[in-house]
Structure formats: C-alpha cells, structure tokens
Short mmCIF file of all heavy atoms in Angstrom, two decimals:
data_model
loop_
_atom_site.label_atom_id
_atom_site.label_comp_id
_atom_site.label_asym_id
_atom_site.label_seq_id
_atom_site.Cartn_x
_atom_site.Cartn_y
_atom_site.Cartn_z
N THR A 383 -11.48 2.50 -5.58
CA THR A 383 -11.93 1.84 -4.36
C THR A 383 -10.76 1.83 -3.38
O THR A 383 -9.60 2.09 -3.76
CB THR A 383 -12.36 0.39 -4.64
OG1 THR A 383 -11.21 -0.34 -5.07
CG2 THR A 383 -13.47 0.33 -5.69
N VAL A 384 -11.03 1.50 -2.14
CA VAL A 384 -9.96 1.42 -1.14
C VAL A 384 -8.92 0.39 -1.59
O VAL A 384 -7.70 0.65 -1.53
CB VAL A 384 -10.54 1.03 0.25
CG1 VAL A 384 -9.42 0.76 1.24
CG2 VAL A 384 -11.46 2.13 0.76
N GLU A 385 -9.39 -0.74 -2.11
CA GLU A 385 -8.46 -1.77 -2.56
C GLU A 385 -7.60 -1.29 -3.73
O GLU A 385 -6.39 -1.54 -3.76
CB GLU A 385 -9.24 -3.03 -2.97
CG GLU A 385 -8.36 -4.23 -3.12
CD GLU A 385 -9.15 -5.53 -3.20
OE1 GLU A 385 -10.39 -5.50 -3.12
OE2 GLU A 385 -8.49 -6.56 -3.36
N GLN A 386 -8.20 -0.55 -4.67
CA GLN A 386 -7.42 -0.02 -5.78
C GLN A 386 -6.38 0.99 -5.30
O GLN A 386 -5.25 1.02 -5.77
CB GLN A 386 -8.34 0.64 -6.81
CG GLN A 386 -9.20 -0.34 -7.58
CD GLN A 386 -10.29 0.36 -8.39
OE1 GLN A 386 -10.80 1.41 -7.99
NE2 GLN A 386 -10.64 -0.23 -9.51
N PHE A 387 -6.78 1.81 -4.33
CA PHE A 387 -5.85 2.78 -3.76
C PHE A 387 -4.65 2.08 -3.10
O PHE A 387 -3.50 2.45 -3.32
CB PHE A 387 -6.57 3.67 -2.74
CG PHE A 387 -5.67 4.60 -2.00
CD1 PHE A 387 -5.19 5.75 -2.61
CD2 PHE A 387 -5.29 4.33 -0.69
CE1 PHE A 387 -4.33 6.62 -1.93
CE2 PHE A 387 -4.44 5.19 0.00
CZ PHE A 387 -3.96 6.33 -0.63
N LEU A 388 -4.95 1.04 -2.33
CA LEU A 388 -3.89 0.31 -1.64
C LEU A 388 -3.00 -0.43 -2.64
O LEU A 388 -1.78 -0.50 -2.44
CB LEU A 388 -4.49 -0.64 -0.61
CG LEU A 388 -5.23 0.05 0.53
CD1 LEU A 388 -5.90 -0.98 1.45
CD2 LEU A 388 -4.31 0.97 1.32
N ASP A 389 -3.58 -0.96 -3.69
CA ASP A 389 -2.78 -1.59 -4.75
C ASP A 389 -1.84 -0.55 -5.37
O ASP A 389 -0.69 -0.86 -5.69
CB ASP A 389 -3.66 -2.20 -5.83
CG ASP A 389 -4.40 -3.44 -5.38
OD1 ASP A 389 -4.03 -4.01 -4.32
OD2 ASP A 389 -5.35 -3.86 -6.08
N GLY A 390 -2.33 0.66 -5.53
CA GLY A 390 -1.50 1.74 -6.05
C GLY A 390 -0.34 2.07 -5.12
O GLY A 390 0.78 2.33 -5.57
N LEU A 391 -0.61 2.05 -3.81
CA LEU A 391 0.46 2.28 -2.85
C LEU A 391 1.53 1.19 -2.97
O LEU A 391 2.73 1.48 -2.95
CB LEU A 391 -0.08 2.28 -1.41
CG LEU A 391 -0.74 3.55 -0.91
CD1 LEU A 391 -1.15 3.38 0.56
CD2 LEU A 391 0.17 4.76 -1.06
N ASP A 392 1.07 -0.05 -3.11
CA ASP A 392 2.03 -1.15 -3.27
C ASP A 392 2.87 -0.98 -4.54
O ASP A 392 4.08 -1.22 -4.53
CB ASP A 392 1.30 -2.50 -3.30
CG ASP A 392 0.87 -2.97 -1.93
OD1 ASP A 392 1.55 -2.63 -0.93
OD2 ASP A 392 -0.14 -3.69 -1.85
N THR A 393 2.24 -0.57 -5.61
CA THR A 393 2.97 -0.34 -6.86
C THR A 393 4.00 0.76 -6.71
O THR A 393 5.15 0.62 -7.15
CB THR A 393 1.98 0.01 -8.01
OG1 THR A 393 1.07 -1.08 -8.15
CG2 THR A 393 2.70 0.27 -9.31
N LEU A 394 3.60 1.85 -6.06
CA LEU A 394 4.55 2.94 -5.81
C LEU A 394 5.71 2.47 -4.94
O LEU A 394 6.87 2.81 -5.19
CB LEU A 394 3.84 4.13 -5.14
CG LEU A 394 2.92 4.95 -6.02
CD1 LEU A 394 2.16 5.98 -5.18
CD2 LEU A 394 3.71 5.65 -7.11
N ALA A 395 5.39 1.69 -3.91
CA ALA A 395 6.44 1.17 -3.02
C ALA A 395 7.45 0.35 -3.80
O ALA A 395 8.67 0.47 -3.60
CB ALA A 395 5.82 0.35 -1.90
N GLU A 396 6.94 -0.50 -4.70
CA GLU A 396 7.83 -1.32 -5.52
C GLU A 396 8.64 -0.48 -6.50
O GLU A 396 9.86 -0.66 -6.66
CB GLU A 396 7.03 -2.38 -6.29
CG GLU A 396 6.43 -3.45 -5.40
CD GLU A 396 5.44 -4.35 -6.16
OE1 GLU A 396 5.46 -4.34 -7.41
OE2 GLU A 396 4.66 -5.03 -5.48
N ASP A 397 7.95 0.44 -7.17
CA ASP A 397 8.62 1.25 -8.20
C ASP A 397 9.72 2.15 -7.62
O ASP A 397 10.75 2.37 -8.25
CB ASP A 397 7.61 2.12 -8.95
CG ASP A 397 6.69 1.30 -9.86
OD1 ASP A 397 6.98 0.10 -10.06
OD2 ASP A 397 5.69 1.87 -10.35
N PHE A 398 9.48 2.66 -6.40
CA PHE A 398 10.43 3.61 -5.81
C PHE A 398 11.22 3.03 -4.64
O PHE A 398 12.00 3.74 -4.00
CB PHE A 398 9.70 4.88 -5.38
CG PHE A 398 9.16 5.65 -6.56
CD1 PHE A 398 7.83 5.57 -6.92
CD2 PHE A 398 9.99 6.44 -7.34
CE1 PHE A 398 7.33 6.26 -8.02
CE2 PHE A 398 9.51 7.14 -8.42
CZ PHE A 398 8.16 7.05 -8.77
N GLY A 399 10.99 1.77 -4.35
CA GLY A 399 11.75 1.11 -3.29
C GLY A 399 11.49 1.70 -1.91
O GLY A 399 12.41 1.85 -1.11
N VAL A 400 10.22 2.04 -1.63
CA VAL A 400 9.87 2.64 -0.34
C VAL A 400 9.07 1.62 0.47
O VAL A 400 7.85 1.50 0.32
CB VAL A 400 9.05 3.95 -0.54
CG1 VAL A 400 8.73 4.59 0.80
CG2 VAL A 400 9.80 4.91 -1.44
N GLU A 401 9.77 0.89 1.33
CA GLU A 401 9.15 -0.18 2.11
C GLU A 401 8.05 0.35 3.04
O GLU A 401 7.07 -0.35 3.31
CB GLU A 401 10.21 -0.92 2.92
CG GLU A 401 9.69 -2.10 3.71
CD GLU A 401 8.97 -3.14 2.86
OE1 GLU A 401 9.34 -3.35 1.70
OE2 GLU A 401 7.98 -3.73 3.36
N GLU A 402 8.19 1.58 3.50
CA GLU A 402 7.18 2.15 4.41
C GLU A 402 5.79 2.18 3.76
O GLU A 402 4.78 2.00 4.45
CB GLU A 402 7.58 3.58 4.85
CG GLU A 402 8.79 3.63 5.72
CD GLU A 402 10.10 3.64 4.92
OE1 GLU A 402 10.07 3.78 3.68
OE2 GLU A 402 11.16 3.47 5.56
N LEU A 403 5.73 2.40 2.46
CA LEU A 403 4.43 2.40 1.77
C LEU A 403 3.81 1.01 1.79
O LEU A 403 2.59 0.87 1.94
CB LEU A 403 4.58 2.90 0.32
CG LEU A 403 4.81 4.38 0.12
CD1 LEU A 403 4.98 4.70 -1.36
CD2 LEU A 403 3.67 5.19 0.70
N HIS A 404 4.62 -0.03 1.64
CA HIS A 404 4.11 -1.40 1.76
C HIS A 404 3.52 -1.61 3.16
O HIS A 404 2.45 -2.20 3.30
CB HIS A 404 5.22 -2.43 1.54
CG HIS A 404 5.40 -2.85 0.12
ND1 HIS A 404 4.40 -3.38 -0.64
CD2 HIS A 404 6.51 -2.82 -0.68
CE1 HIS A 404 4.86 -3.66 -1.85
NE2 HIS A 404 6.14 -3.33 -1.90
N GLN A 405 4.21 -1.12 4.16
CA GLN A 405 3.75 -1.29 5.53
C GLN A 405 2.42 -0.57 5.75
O GLN A 405 1.50 -1.12 6.36
CB GLN A 405 4.80 -0.78 6.52
CG GLN A 405 6.06 -1.63 6.55
CD GLN A 405 7.19 -0.98 7.32
OE1 GLN A 405 7.13 0.20 7.68
NE2 GLN A 405 8.26 -1.74 7.57
N VAL A 406 2.32 0.65 5.24
CA VAL A 406 1.07 1.41 5.36
C VAL A 406 -0.07 0.67 4.66
O VAL A 406 -1.17 0.52 5.20
CB VAL A 406 1.23 2.84 4.80
CG1 VAL A 406 -0.11 3.55 4.68
CG2 VAL A 406 2.18 3.65 5.67
N ALA A 407 0.20 0.19 3.44
CA ALA A 407 -0.84 -0.52 2.70
C ALA A 407 -1.27 -1.78 3.43
O ALA A 407 -2.47 -2.08 3.52
CB ALA A 407 -0.33 -0.86 1.29
N THR A 408 -0.32 -2.50 4.00
CA THR A 408 -0.63 -3.73 4.73
C THR A 408 -1.48 -3.40 5.96
O THR A 408 -2.49 -4.08 6.23
CB THR A 408 0.67 -4.45 5.15
OG1 THR A 408 1.39 -4.78 3.97
CG2 THR A 408 0.36 -5.72 5.93
N GLU A 409 -1.12 -2.39 6.71
CA GLU A 409 -1.88 -2.01 7.90
C GLU A 409 -3.30 -1.56 7.52
O GLU A 409 -4.26 -1.93 8.20
CB GLU A 409 -1.16 -0.86 8.64
CG GLU A 409 0.13 -1.30 9.32
CD GLU A 409 0.93 -0.12 9.87
OE1 GLU A 409 0.40 1.01 9.91
OE2 GLU A 409 2.10 -0.34 10.24
N MET A 410 -3.41 -0.80 6.46
CA MET A 410 -4.74 -0.33 6.04
C MET A 410 -5.61 -1.50 5.58
O MET A 410 -6.81 -1.53 5.86
CB MET A 410 -4.61 0.74 4.94
CG MET A 410 -4.04 2.05 5.46
SD MET A 410 -3.92 3.29 4.16
CE MET A 410 -5.62 3.75 3.96
N ARG A 411 -5.01 -2.46 4.90
CA ARG A 411 -5.77 -3.65 4.48
C ARG A 411 -6.30 -4.40 5.71
O ARG A 411 -7.45 -4.86 5.70
CB ARG A 411 -4.91 -4.58 3.62
CG ARG A 411 -4.80 -4.17 2.18
CD ARG A 411 -4.14 -5.27 1.33
NE ARG A 411 -4.15 -4.89 -0.05
CZ ARG A 411 -3.23 -4.14 -0.65
NH1 ARG A 411 -2.20 -3.73 0.05
NH2 ARG A 411 -3.33 -3.83 -1.91
N GLN A 412 -5.48 -4.52 6.72
CA GLN A 412 -5.90 -5.19 7.94
C GLN A 412 -7.06 -4.43 8.61
O GLN A 412 -8.05 -5.03 9.04
CB GLN A 412 -4.74 -5.36 8.92
CG GLN A 412 -3.71 -6.36 8.43
CD GLN A 412 -2.43 -6.36 9.27
OE1 GLN A 412 -2.20 -5.46 10.07
NE2 GLN A 412 -1.60 -7.37 9.05
N GLU A 413 -6.93 -3.12 8.66
CA GLU A 413 -7.99 -2.29 9.26
C GLU A 413 -9.29 -2.40 8.48
O GLU A 413 -10.37 -2.38 9.07
CB GLU A 413 -7.54 -0.82 9.33
CG GLU A 413 -6.46 -0.56 10.34
CD GLU A 413 -5.96 0.86 10.26
OE1 GLU A 413 -6.60 1.72 9.60
OE2 GLU A 413 -4.90 1.16 10.85
N GLU A 414 -9.19 -2.47 7.16
CA GLU A 414 -10.38 -2.55 6.29
C GLU A 414 -10.90 -3.98 6.14
O GLU A 414 -11.96 -4.18 5.56
CB GLU A 414 -10.05 -1.98 4.90
CG GLU A 414 -9.74 -0.51 4.88
CD GLU A 414 -10.96 0.35 5.16
OE1 GLU A 414 -12.08 -0.03 4.75
OE2 GLU A 414 -10.78 1.40 5.80
#
C-alpha cells in the first residue's frame, strides 16, 4: 500500500542515514 511504501522509505532513511528520504516520505504522506 502507499502507507507501507512510505514506511519502507522511512526505514531506508533511518538505516542509511538519508534525511532526504524522510522528507520525501513526509511530503507524500501529506499529499495522500
């Protein structure tokens, strides 16, 4: 689902220390 995909982005951001992925996930959640 979109939510599962975004949760995956957050996990990747945490695992690899990529803050931009958190930002993308947050923006997409807002849009959705």
Side-chain angles (χ1 to χ4, degrees):
T383 64
V384 172
E385 194 167 0
Q386 290 169 328
F387 174 76
L388 296 175
D389 289 346
L391 280 183
D392 283 331
T393 300
L394 287 173
E396 291 170 17
D397 290 349
F398 293 100
V400 182
E401 183 56 35
E402 293 84 10
L403 286 178
H404 271 303
Q405 292 169 349
V406 169
T408 300
E409 290 171 11
M410 290 181 74
R411 279 190 175 87
Q412 290 170 347
E413 290 174 12
E414 295 290 326

